Amino acid sequence: MAAQPYDEGPGRGDQPPPRSRARQDPRTLSNQETIVSDAPRRSRRRGEGGPPEPPGPPTKKDGGKGGWRRFVPSWKIVVAGFVVLAAGFFGMIMIAYANTPVPDVDQAKADAVAQQSTIYYRDGKTEIAKLGTKRVIVPISKMDQTVRDAAVAIENKTFYEDSGISISGMFRALYMTATGQQLQGASTITQQMASNYYDGLNREISIKRKISEIFVAVKINDKLSKEKILENYLNTVNFGRAYGVEAAAKAYFGDRATAAKLTPEQGAYLAARIQQPNWEPDAPALKDRWTTTIQYMAQQWPDRYGNLPQTAKWPKIRKDSNENELGGLKGYMVMQVLQELKDRGLPPDAVRSSGFHITSTFDRKLMLAAKEAVQSTTSSMSKEYHAGLAAVNPKNGRILAFYGGSNYVKDPFNEPFDAKKQAASAFKPYVLAAWLQAGYSLKSYVPGNETVPKEIPGIQKEGIRNSHNVGQAIDVVKATAQSVNTAYVSMAYALPGKIDEVKNLVESAGFDQKRMEADVNEHSYQFAIGSAPVSAVEQAAGYSIFANGGKYTKYHVVQEVRQGKQVVYPEQRASKQVVDPGVAADATVAMQEVLRSGTAAGQGLGNRPAAGKTGTNNNEKEAWFVGYTPQISAAVGFYREQCKTKKGRVVEPINSSCPETPRGKPSSKYNRDNPYSTAYEVSLGFEGAGPPTATWHKFMTLAHEGLPVEQFPKRAEIGVPENIVPSPTPTPKPTEDDPFDTGDDPLGDQGNQDCFVNPCNDNVTPTEEPTIDDGGDDTGFPQTANGDVAGGNNGNGHGNGGGRLPAPKPTGWASMPRSEER
């Protein structure tokens, strides 16, 4: 009788189990017995006619496994499956390995040496400068033993014994790549050489590429000698400023340096750079790795370098400057391109060594026109006078031209990008735009002789004044043309959102948000008439909202970066609508009048439509003209710095900068921390309608040669009159030709209309000595520890407008007056 499981038998009930299954009718078996009967059964009898067998030990239905164990396969199945999978896996590896070719060596070399980058003008053909040192292939016999040993010691100490790959390094690289983390370099020199030498510039992050790299490395190890592998490696690896050991030796240790003649310290320095080639030349982390390299060299070859850890001295590194690369005007262009790419995550060293074809936005003809316009105006001025010019295509934000200085190598301070000066009345058009955007029209009448209300929060007790009597009321076009301060402060106060509406608009037009907020907090409604510090390039780009139907495009200097045929960094052209097109059209009508009958009368461009605005600071310390056509928006700014010693003696600038030492010669007493002379801003002696407007006029005349004449949009007549004060009596009657031309000039003698704090200076240079600001910068608000304007940096060295904050000028900055500016 088959054994009955203990947990399923009926023997636990009141009825006794049957003596013999054989004597039962199968039709009377319970369900339980029917289920059990399907299992294998023993012989029913020991012998013929013998008694039934006693119950045996309990068993499970699956042969002894219960619960989850029934799902565990036999070990024989596991082993067999593993063998099949392993065979298939390794079979696929062998097939892939057999089908992986080693790329052609000659072609690999050609790709590997083409690493210099070139910057071009906007046509993509005319060269501005070549960057970096061209890679030079040298045999291993012309590589100093120290640099070979250093590379092996720090990168792959088992190089001479291994088979070309490292299992641990391989799995680490595969894992980091598969998980999307930073691409990990192969751990052996052979694998790195396979990547650098054969992949060329291709740095695709993929498991396929990593596996191919491993296969190529194994094949290379079989095909090439260790010396040849090391030779190729050191000829192609990235050292930061250059690819290849020969070029790197010159880049870091001077033009006379060669790979054949390196000290142990120099060899260790180059090898230490391999892991992170973008390290700064004297980065603390690089110094630590240099020390580790020297220690490893001593451990691996004690007979050669046993005493090196005790005697090694940090090598002298040449400055990363090349007069051929940065001399003259091109240095300013090169540095702006490098700065923009750095802000986009591409370090300068990577640019110099990656074989990029960089197309800038600069127009060669316009760059020369900017130089001519500025230098022809300033040729009779002393080096105390500083001028910056920037021109932007208002339709796409491309910086077409600028003038930052005559020679970058001698004076690296880039005036239109780095100098932040108070905008004065050249800031008023943004108030005009906010006024029109709020629904008010050009036909509104605004205050003349005093603000409405008379007392405005944040304005000094004497209030805002003009330089002469302009009458009780004036229309908005005349207020713009004649730069009436009382009118514009009152307009800003009358806006629904008051001064915040102006601030929000200029931030949308590209000006740095924190810098604008800081000025509003300090100067309140004086912000409406230009107390905020701005750069020339910000102003040129800001006025593009008037030239381009109310749309602003972030200014930039790079059109595209190519590597071979692939665009690796496309142009960034972030645009947004700041004001309505009708607002831009009507604001342009008012600013055209500036060049017809206003503060810059007679400085238009003939039959070519143009518009703009002058601006002059208190005591004429800064002067501006910003203007535009439909094709180009340009800004010109002037200021003057006088160099004074601690004893008050005025000395001549050297290359437009105040000398740190007497006559610029070496001194044990004076240095950058203790300069011989310091710069102070003093009066220019002229207004925005003078040299700034003349410079703008000359540049725009040259820049538009050969361009078709384009018209501004017609006047939109938007908004409704908002008369802050009653209209004058009698009410002016507009004519068909010029609805705001009343015949007589209500301002009478124009004088110095841009001035807004009494007493104003009418073309008289002040005789008082300039004062020294107690620790602040020339903008009138706090500085950070490194000299940057507090709040002016958005975290990556740039404000919202796309321009970078200036580094402190070597001579220091003049103290800008904290009083209100015009």
Side-chain angles (χ1 to χ4, degrees), residues 428 447-448 466 470 474 478-479 482-488 747 753:
K428 290 175 181 175
N466 303 306
V470 297
I474 190 170
K478 289 288 185 180
Q482 307 300 342
S483 197
V484 179
N485 301 311
T486 50
Y488 268 87
L747 295 177
Q753 288 86 1

Side-chain angles (χ1 to χ4, degrees), residues 406-469:
S406 60
N407 191 330
Y408 179 85
V409 173
K410 294 181 179 180
D411 183 13
F413 190 80
N414 194 336
E415 296 291 351
F417 288 86
D418 295 342
K420 304 292 192 298
K421 301 298 179 183
Q422 287 181 309
S425 290
F427 208 68
K428 290 175 181 175
Y430 303 115
V431 180
L432 174 60
W435 175 265
L436 296 171
Q437 186 74 16
Y440 308 142
S441 78
L442 292 177
K443 296 179 179 179
S444 304
Y445 279 92
V446 291
N449 287 337
E450 63 181 19
T451 60
V452 174
K454 187 173 182 179
E455 294 185 4
I456 292 180
I459 301 299
Q460 67 273 26
K461 292 183 179 180
E462 59 269 27
I464 297 294
R465 293 288 183 269
N466 303 306
S467 60
H468 57 284
N469 188 346

Side-chain angles (χ1 to χ4, degrees), residues 181-343:
Q181 301 180 51
Q182 182 179 359
L183 181 62
Q184 295 294 298
S187 59
T188 71
I189 283 176
T190 308
Q191 286 175 262
Q192 292 183 60
M193 193 275 282
S195 176
N196 296 334
Y197 193 74
Y198 291 109
D199 283 352
L201 301 178
N202 181 16
R203 290 294 179 268
E204 177 191 1
I205 300 178
S206 68
I207 294 178
K208 178 182 177 182
R209 188 191 73 84
K210 184 61 64 178
I211 293 175
S212 297
E213 173 189 301
I214 293 169
F215 289 163
V216 172
V218 174
K219 283 196 170 184
I220 289 172
N221 193 71
D222 291 337
K223 183 177 180 180
L224 303 178
S225 67
K226 290 291 186 180
E227 287 72 20
K228 191 63 178 177
I229 292 172
L230 187 59
E231 175 186 301
N232 289 343
Y233 173 70
L234 291 175
N235 272 320
T236 56
V237 72
N238 182 7
F239 290 99
R241 291 181 184 173
Y243 276 71
V245 66
E246 180 74 7
K250 296 182 183 300
Y252 289 105
F253 309 126
D255 293 334
R256 295 184 179 181
T258 66
K261 296 180 180 180
L262 293 173
T263 66
E265 292 88 347
Q266 290 174 332
Y269 177 86
L270 294 181
R273 293 197 64 88
I274 294 173
Q275 184 189 56
Q276 292 290 338
N278 292 329
W279 271 331
E280 292 297 322
D282 57 352
L286 175 58
K287 290 185 176 181
D288 291 341
R289 190 162 177 82
W290 174 78
T291 301
T292 301
T293 302
I294 288 175
Q295 292 172 348
Y296 284 6
M297 292 169 68
Q299 293 171 10
Q300 195 152 350
W301 295 283
D303 54 327
R304 299 178 194 168
Y305 312 109
N307 296 326
L308 187 59
Q310 290 76 39
T311 61
K313 294 182 179 180
W314 182 256
K316 184 178 180 180
I317 309 301
R318 73 178 296 182
K319 295 180 67 175
D320 186 16
S321 61
N322 186 326
E323 189 161 346
N324 292 329
E325 179 182 300
L326 302 177
L329 296 180
K330 62 184 178 181
Y332 298 101
M333 291 185 279
V334 168
M335 296 311 292
Q336 286 307 132
V337 168
L338 292 178
Q339 180 64 46
E340 183 168 309
L341 291 177
K342 182 179 179 181
D343 293 337

Side-chain angles (χ1 to χ4, degrees), residues 330-651:
K330 62 184 178 181
Y332 298 101
M333 291 185 279
V334 168
M335 296 311 292
Q336 286 307 132
V337 168
L338 292 178
Q339 180 64 46
E340 183 168 309
L341 291 177
K342 182 179 179 181
D343 293 337
R344 295 180 64 179
L346 187 62
D349 279 345
V351 176
R352 289 187 171 95
S353 58
S354 297
F356 291 134
H357 183 292
I358 303 168
T359 302
S360 73
T361 62
F362 307 128
D363 184 289
R364 186 175 185 275
K365 173 190 170 183
L366 270 58
M367 286 294 299
L368 295 176
K371 176 183 178 181
E372 181 178 346
V374 174
Q375 291 187 350
S376 64
T377 305
T378 59
S379 59
S380 61
M381 301 179 183
S382 75
K383 294 180 180 179
E384 294 177 351
Y385 289 82
H386 299 261
L389 181 154
V392 174
N393 184 334
K395 298 175 183 178
N396 53 32
R398 294 175 181 174
I399 297 177
L400 299 172
F402 67 94
Y403 180 81
S406 60
N407 191 330
Y408 179 85
V409 173
K410 294 181 179 180
D411 183 13
F413 190 80
N414 194 336
E415 296 291 351
F417 288 86
D418 295 342
K420 304 292 192 298
K421 301 298 179 183
Q422 287 181 309
S425 290
F427 208 68
K428 290 175 181 175
Y430 303 115
V431 180
L432 174 60
W435 175 265
L436 296 171
Q437 186 74 16
Y440 308 142
S441 78
L442 292 177
K443 296 179 179 179
S444 304
Y445 279 92
V446 291
N449 287 337
E450 63 181 19
T451 60
V452 174
K454 187 173 182 179
E455 294 185 4
I456 292 180
I459 301 299
Q460 67 273 26
K461 292 183 179 180
E462 59 269 27
I464 297 294
R465 293 288 183 269
N466 303 306
S467 60
H468 57 284
N469 188 346
V470 297
Q472 179 186 3
I474 190 170
D475 65 63
V476 172
V477 174
K478 289 288 185 180
T480 303
Q482 307 300 342
S483 197
V484 179
N485 301 311
T486 50
Y488 268 87
V489 171
S490 300
M491 288 164 65
Y493 188 78
L495 292 171
K498 300 197 178 300
I499 197 65
D500 282 343
E501 284 200 26
V502 181
K503 180 180 73 68
N504 294 338
L505 188 148
V506 297
E507 289 170 3
S508 296
F511 293 89
D512 182 78
Q513 179 180 4
K514 292 184 179 179
R515 201 180 335 133
M516 297 303 103
E517 288 179 351
D519 192 78
V520 170
N521 291 337
E522 180 175 356
H523 291 119
S524 190
Y525 279 85
Q526 294 167 40
F527 179 78
I529 44 181
S531 60
V534 300
S535 69
V537 72
E538 285 178 320
Q539 280 285 67
Y543 270 49
S544 68
I545 67 173
F546 305 113
N548 190 36
K551 182 181 293 185
Y552 170 80
T553 302
K554 183 178 180 181
Y555 65 84
H556 55 281
V557 300
V558 176
Q559 286 194 63
E560 69 173 18
V561 179
R562 286 183 176 270
Q563 203 171 55
K565 295 182 179 180
Q566 182 181 4
V567 176
V568 292
Y569 285 87
E571 183 174 14
Q572 288 190 331
R573 287 169 56 174
S575 300
K576 57 185 171 182
Q577 195 75 32
V578 178
V579 295
D580 295 334
V583 169
D586 282 5
T588 296
V589 169
M591 282 186 277
Q592 282 183 285
E593 200 61 33
V594 173
L595 290 166
R596 290 173 179 164
S597 64
T599 54
Q603 292 296 315
L605 301 178
N607 68 339
R608 186 181 297 275
K613 186 71 186 74
T614 57
T616 312
N617 196 316
N618 273 7
N619 295 326
E620 299 173 349
K621 284 188 176 181
E622 286 130 23
W624 293 85
F625 188 82
V626 187
Y628 57 94
T629 66
Q631 293 119 312
I632 300 174
S633 175
V636 177
F638 276 73
Y639 66 98
R640 181 183 178 187
E641 285 184 341
Q642 198 170 76
C643 304
K644 284 196 170 187
T645 67
K646 292 181 178 179
K647 294 182 179 180
R649 187 162 68 93
V650 176
V651 296

